[in-house]
Amino acid sequence: MKIYGLLFSLFLLVQPVFSKASGCDDNLTSTQAQFGESQYLRISAGRNVFYKEIKGQKNKPTLIFLPGVNRAVPECYSMLKLLEDQGYSLVLMATSSHWQSLIGRQKESEKSYFDQNSSLNTLDFTSEIDTLVSFLKIENPVLVSLSYSSG
């Protein structure tokens, strides 16, 4: 996988809009990016990667928003709408250790990867990103990190 840029996006932390219940202000739906349905890419038994995407213009890179330590980028961030309006393809993702991915197991009875006495390391998370980029056939990925921990 070629990665043409890596952005540590401290600007993601500027002016976030949250409500107590949903993480997004319900009055802002017209200013939110229009992502598709939640998807889950199966990596192995009990291990999935959550993602949502917006297809943009072919001549622009795809910005892949990586999660921070305890959360992913909420789709209500107004800067996502600005990027969508400029024609960028956008992917929100959560690695297999985040709750969004854990709830995407194929069967309710299937144990999560972590319940199988397994552990993950940095190479595993890198592999998940690479697998998602390959699966989505992204030609020009740019990783955008919510925190230094996922960079």
Side-chain angles (χ1 to χ4, degrees):
M1 166 179 72
K2 289 183 180 179
I3 297 179
Y4 294 93
L6 177 62
L7 303 175
F8 289 103
S9 56
L10 296 176
F11 68 92
L12 288 176
L13 302 175
V14 178
Q15 299 179 349
V17 180
F18 295 107
S19 73
K20 291 180 185 175
S22 67
C24 293
D25 184 338
D26 293 334
N27 296 323
L28 295 178
T29 54
S30 63
T31 61
Q32 291 181 24
Q34 300 302 306
F35 285 90
E37 295 292 317
S38 296
Q39 302 289 323
Y40 300 94
L41 176 61
R42 187 172 176 85
I43 304 295
S44 63
R47 188 171 163 207
N48 300 297
V49 171
F50 161 88
Y51 70 95
K52 284 187 168 194
E53 70 176 321
I54 293 175
K55 299 263 188 203
Q57 298 171 8
K58 289 243 181 217
N59 63 335
K60 297 223 176 179
T62 299
L63 305 178
I64 303 171
F65 291 88
L66 304 175
V69 173
N70 63 356
R71 68 181 176 96
V73 175
E75 57 188 283
C76 62
Y77 270 16
S78 59
M79 65 89 188
L80 294 173
K81 177 65 173 158
L82 295 173
L83 292 168
E84 177 189 29
D85 290 347
Q86 292 176 32
Y88 288 95
S89 294
L90 308 173
V91 175
L92 302 181
M93 73 165 292
T95 57
S96 62
S97 62
H98 285 83
W99 69 268
Q100 296 99 325
S101 294
L102 290 171
I103 62 173
R105 291 175 293 178
Q106 286 189 341
K107 301 176 209 155
E108 200 59 38
S109 61
E110 182 179 58
K111 286 186 172 185
S112 75
Y113 189 72
F114 308 104
D115 292 332
Q116 300 172 30
N117 295 321
S118 300
S119 63
L120 293 171
N121 60 44
T122 306
L123 291 176
D124 292 319
F125 293 128
T126 303
S127 168
E128 291 175 3
I129 297 166
D130 191 43
T131 300
L132 182 62
V133 167
S134 296
F135 176 77
L136 296 176
K137 297 179 175 71
I138 297 171
E139 295 179 15
N140 190 3
V142 175
L143 302 179
V144 182
S145 176
L146 183 61
S147 71
Y148 289 110
S149 64
S150 56

